[in-house]
Amino acid sequence: EELISVATAPAIFKDTATISGVFIKELFRKNGCAAATIYELIAELQKLGVTEYFLWCEKILEKFYNKIGFQSC
């Protein structure tokens, strides 16, 4: 088995989580894998009662994350 994607939530406090460390192996980029990985992480966080998410990313990736529902601040 080979790891192709990862996203972490290193900080969770009550109903709020920080998402970071999103990595998609280059061969699997631009086909929805990043969005699916983040949505799966959010689904797992919701099981823990998390309802608010903050995502840390490089400035160059903000447009992508805006497209999948995150807002720049």
Side-chain angles (χ1 to χ4, degrees):
E1 291 185 30
E2 180 180 10
L3 182 66
I4 61 168
S5 67
V6 65
T8 64
I12 301 171
F13 181 72
K14 296 185 180 182
D15 63 349
T16 303
T18 300
I19 297 174
S20 65
V22 178
F23 173 79
I24 311 302
K25 193 170 182 176
E26 193 168 348
L27 180 64
F28 297 92
R29 294 177 187 168
K30 299 188 186 278
N31 67 2
C33 189
T37 300
I38 292 167
Y39 294 150
E40 183 63 28
L41 176 58
I42 288 172
E44 292 300 316
L45 291 169
Q46 287 174 337
K47 292 177 187 177
L48 300 174
V50 175
T51 58
E52 190 169 16
Y53 314 93
F54 293 93
L55 183 135
W56 295 101
C57 71
E58 295 178 26
K59 185 82 171 158
I60 194 169
L61 295 172
E62 282 185 10
K63 186 175 178 181
F64 165 74
Y65 289 114
N66 291 158
K67 193 165 74 172
I68 64 169
F70 287 90
Q71 296 178 356
S72 300
C73 50

